[in-house]
Amino acid sequence: MAYWRRSSRQMQAATGQVAVAPTSPVTEKPKSRSRMMRQYDLVERVRSYNPDTNEDLLNRAYVYAMKAHGTQTRASGDPYFSHPLEVAAILTNLKLDDATIVAALLHDTIEDTEATRAEIDNIFGHEIGALVEGLTKLKRLELVSREAKQAENLRKLLLAIADDVRVLLIKLADRLHNMRTLEFVPPASRRRIAEETLDIYAPLAGRMGMHEMREELEDLSFHVLDPEAYAVVKQRLDALADRNRNLIGEIESQLSKNLQKNGITARVYGRRKQPFSIWTKMERKSVGFEQLSDIYGFRIILSDVEDCYAALGVVHTTWPVVPGRFKDYISTPKQNDYRSIHTTVIGPGNQRVELQIRTEEMNQIAEFGIAAHAFYKEGMGSPTERLKHESNAFAWLRHTVGILSESANPEEFLEHTKLELFHDQVFCFTPKGKLIALPRQANVIDFAYAVHTDVGNSAVGCKINGKFAPLSSELQNGDEVEVLTSVAQSAPPSAWESLAVTGKARAAIRRATRTAVRDQYAASSIACLPAPRSNTPTTS
């Protein structure tokens, strides 16, 4: 990804701005150090959502980690222990269980101190020991090193997450705090870490539905990778906010009054899009800042699904609808469990207003993703067990790990995983109504292999929405796809590999091609063997 590579001169031209002094981590003064959280502060944060928290366990972990890290310091000069403490604090905002908070406090002890897995198991139990060891294996996830090493580290990350989803939550919180304090890191390392974050961690957070964390990781990375572009976009957003100071409140008020007038109680609030989101949209659509019409988004939060559709009716009968800007992710959720109705109307002041209509539960999942499923819930089993039953995003992760066994080498796995991380989703249906989620730009070949490997291998044609079409046809949201197969075709043409988009399809085609070549070679070898001599005596 190269969102930051557009020159600052191009950026200034697009936004109609003159050059401004960049606000970058290089030129900013170091932030003043904040007071380190005390034991009782951490305990109180956990107790606020879990009254039955094991205070003794939290206190022991706090003291153990502080003593283990001793006099170690961070690049900022702060005590090193302040880092795992802040990681734990981030996770309390996600209302996670005691074991996750304790593992966050201890996550660097095996790697960076004299502590051992056996010792942690003995003091804190096997569950916490396994979490800490899983994170230790991922400590040096250097994703801009050689491709093979990069891929192997990504394999470790995904395998550890599939085993216990809390590893991912701790790892993302760890990366988020490191990004928040990146100004103290040497410039070369700073850029490497920011690229790594934008390449892997932010998309992974997005695929897990953790949109708030994804947005902050993206913005922090953007700030480092192109500080001038970041500063220009931020300046434009601030200027727009000054001009429209009362607009958000006015729209919120009108929306609330109109809904209330129709007997619908809702919580309405507006928010400004982040600089990275604005920048990528300008890049993708090749437009200037002034041409963007959805810089502000508004959320309408309701009590149940019926109210969501009722609110949509009120909105659409009150203001003109912008054509082509309606999406119903409640009836067809995204693969990361995101559910919401999206629409855009011409609202007060002739302004385009982008609306997201959802329930409180949907809003929690939209903001926290799999972490919403992993919230502390008394007597509800482990977060990983709950996710197996509740989360499509976790199902995607387990499916991706399944590709590990199908990839011929680490580089292939890395390529496939990045493809799936970066692409938006397109949703298609089989003739029987089964929903198939694929990355954008996927075609019928990818669809066939998503249905079943045998369907892909024997595909000879297709119908899209009842009409015959080439197998290479790119699919659109809502397409109904019927794959035509033939028993006469046992292996796909090798050329399909270059047409397929998904890792699953490419790996299956490659495997089928190798098998076909091996069978053909074996058959030809047998044909070349001399005929066996007969032992039957001949007569003259």
Side-chain angles (χ1 to χ4, degrees), residues 28-41:
E28 280 180 346
K29 293 180 181 178
K31 298 171 184 174
S32 58
R33 297 179 194 173
S34 56
R35 179 179 70 85
M36 196 160 68
M37 192 187 307
R38 305 292 176 85
Q39 279 176 256
Y40 61 82
D41 293 325

Side-chain angles (χ1 to χ4, degrees), residues 12 20 41 60 70 170 203 239 257 272 295 369 376 424 431 437 514:
Q12 290 149 18
V20 297
D41 293 325
R60 282 189 289 119
I170 299 169
K257 284 177 182 176
R272 188 177 78 181
I295 290 171
Y376 168 77
D424 292 328
R514 283 198 299 266

Side-chain angles (χ1 to χ4, degrees), residues 68 74 127 206 235 277 354 370 389 416 455 513 516:
R74 305 191 79 215
E127 179 188 12
Q235 185 186 56
S277 174
E354 185 183 77
I370 59 168
H389 304 289
H416 302 161
V455 174
T513 303

Side-chain angles (χ1 to χ4, degrees), residues 66-119:
M66 183 170 62
K67 287 183 176 178
H69 288 294
T71 59
Q72 293 174 351
T73 57
R74 305 191 79 215
S76 63
D78 289 329
Y80 190 88
F81 176 58
S82 64
H83 167 64
L85 193 53
E86 288 299 324
V87 172
I90 290 169
L91 295 172
T92 61
N93 294 331
L94 299 179
K95 301 181 181 178
L96 296 180
D97 62 330
D98 289 352
T100 309
I101 305 302
V102 170
L105 290 170
L106 305 175
H107 79 270
D108 280 336
T109 52
I110 295 177
E111 178 74 23
D112 295 332
T113 76
E114 298 298 317
T116 64
R117 165 72 192 275
E119 186 175 82

Side-chain angles (χ1 to χ4, degrees), residues 95-397:
K95 301 181 181 178
L96 296 180
D97 62 330
D98 289 352
T100 309
I101 305 302
V102 170
L105 290 170
L106 305 175
H107 79 270
D108 280 336
T109 52
I110 295 177
E111 178 74 23
D112 295 332
T113 76
E114 298 298 317
T116 64
R117 165 72 192 275
E119 186 175 82
I120 289 176
D121 276 3
N122 185 49
I123 299 173
F124 300 102
H126 174 78
E127 179 188 12
I128 290 170
L131 282 171
V132 176
E133 185 175 53
L135 288 154
T136 300
K137 291 175 181 176
L138 309 174
K139 182 69 165 64
R140 299 194 176 279
L141 191 63
E142 295 174 355
L143 295 173
V144 289
S145 58
R146 296 190 319 273
E147 286 288 291
K149 184 178 178 184
Q150 182 178 358
E152 280 304 320
N153 282 325
L154 184 55
R155 280 177 187 260
K156 289 178 185 177
L157 173 64
L158 294 179
L159 285 169
I161 294 167
D163 190 48
D164 193 324
V165 72
R166 291 172 295 184
V167 171
L168 171 63
L169 301 177
I170 299 169
K171 189 66 185 174
L172 288 174
D174 173 45
R175 177 51 57 116
L176 181 57
H177 184 248
N178 281 332
M179 289 299 297
R180 286 175 178 175
T181 55
L182 203 60
E183 68 264 34
F184 300 106
V185 175
S189 298
R190 191 183 305 149
R191 186 172 185 86
R192 175 184 60 79
I193 294 167
E195 286 178 351
E196 178 180 289
T197 300
L198 201 56
D199 272 354
I200 297 295
Y201 289 104
L204 188 54
R207 281 305 239 123
M208 295 295 103
M210 302 173 70
H211 297 296
E212 284 203 347
M213 188 172 284
R214 183 206 69 205
E215 285 183 348
E216 186 173 356
L217 289 170
E218 287 173 342
D219 255 32
L220 290 167
S221 301
F222 181 37
H223 195 185
V224 171
L225 294 168
D226 196 338
E228 291 185 25
Y230 178 91
V232 171
V233 175
K234 182 79 164 53
Q235 185 186 56
R236 294 289 284 155
L237 285 171
D238 291 343
L240 187 66
D242 279 345
R243 283 204 310 272
N244 298 331
R245 190 171 299 146
N246 301 319
L247 183 64
I248 289 182
E250 182 187 343
I251 293 173
E252 288 175 351
S253 176
Q254 285 205 27
L255 281 169
S256 296
K257 284 177 182 176
N258 282 337
L259 291 169
Q260 199 166 17
K261 194 188 302 179
N262 287 271
I264 301 170
T265 303
R267 180 164 62 91
V268 181
Y269 64 95
R271 66 193 295 268
R272 188 177 78 181
K273 291 191 174 178
Q274 299 300 313
F276 182 78
S277 174
I278 298 291
W279 170 242
T280 52
K281 190 161 191 176
M282 291 170 63
E283 286 277 90
R284 189 174 66 251
K285 297 197 169 184
S286 299
V287 297
F289 187 89
E290 296 295 344
Q291 294 169 274
L292 297 177
S293 57
D294 54 356
I295 290 171
Y296 292 100
F298 291 81
R299 291 176 182 170
I300 301 175
I301 313 300
L302 302 122
S303 57
D304 55 45
V305 173
E306 288 76 15
D307 281 350
C308 290
Y309 288 100
L312 177 67
V314 171
V315 168
H316 279 188
T317 54
T318 304
W319 292 294
V321 180
V322 177
R325 297 281 295 175
F326 174 77
K327 292 176 183 174
D328 186 351
Y329 293 119
I330 291 181
S331 64
T332 309
K334 289 188 177 183
Q335 199 170 4
N336 61 9
D337 299 320
Y338 179 87
R339 299 175 72 206
S340 188
I341 295 172
H342 290 195
T343 189
T344 302
V345 298
I346 308 297
N350 239 12
Q351 289 283 327
R352 278 196 179 198
V353 180
E354 185 183 77
L355 300 173
Q356 297 171 352
I357 305 170
R358 58 178 74 138
T359 65
E360 284 285 1
E361 182 185 3
M362 292 173 193
N363 195 50
Q364 273 197 339
I365 293 172
E367 292 182 355
F368 301 113
I370 59 168
H373 295 289
F375 280 166
Y376 168 77
K377 297 175 185 176
E378 188 176 1
M380 293 290 287
S382 74
T384 302
E385 285 303 313
R386 290 202 301 275
L387 283 165
K388 286 178 183 177
H389 304 289
E390 298 177 16
S391 172
N392 290 321
F394 193 62
W396 169 84
L397 176 66

Side-chain angles (χ1 to χ4, degrees), residues 400-413:
T400 302
V401 172
I403 296 176
L404 284 167
S405 59
E406 299 179 4
S407 300
N409 56 55
E411 290 87 342
E412 283 179 16
F413 171 69

Side-chain angles (χ1 to χ4, degrees), residues 409-424:
N409 56 55
E411 290 87 342
E412 283 179 16
F413 171 69
L414 180 66
E415 173 196 352
H416 302 161
T417 306
K418 280 189 174 182
L419 272 172
E420 296 207 17
L421 280 175
F422 285 122
H423 281 69
D424 292 328

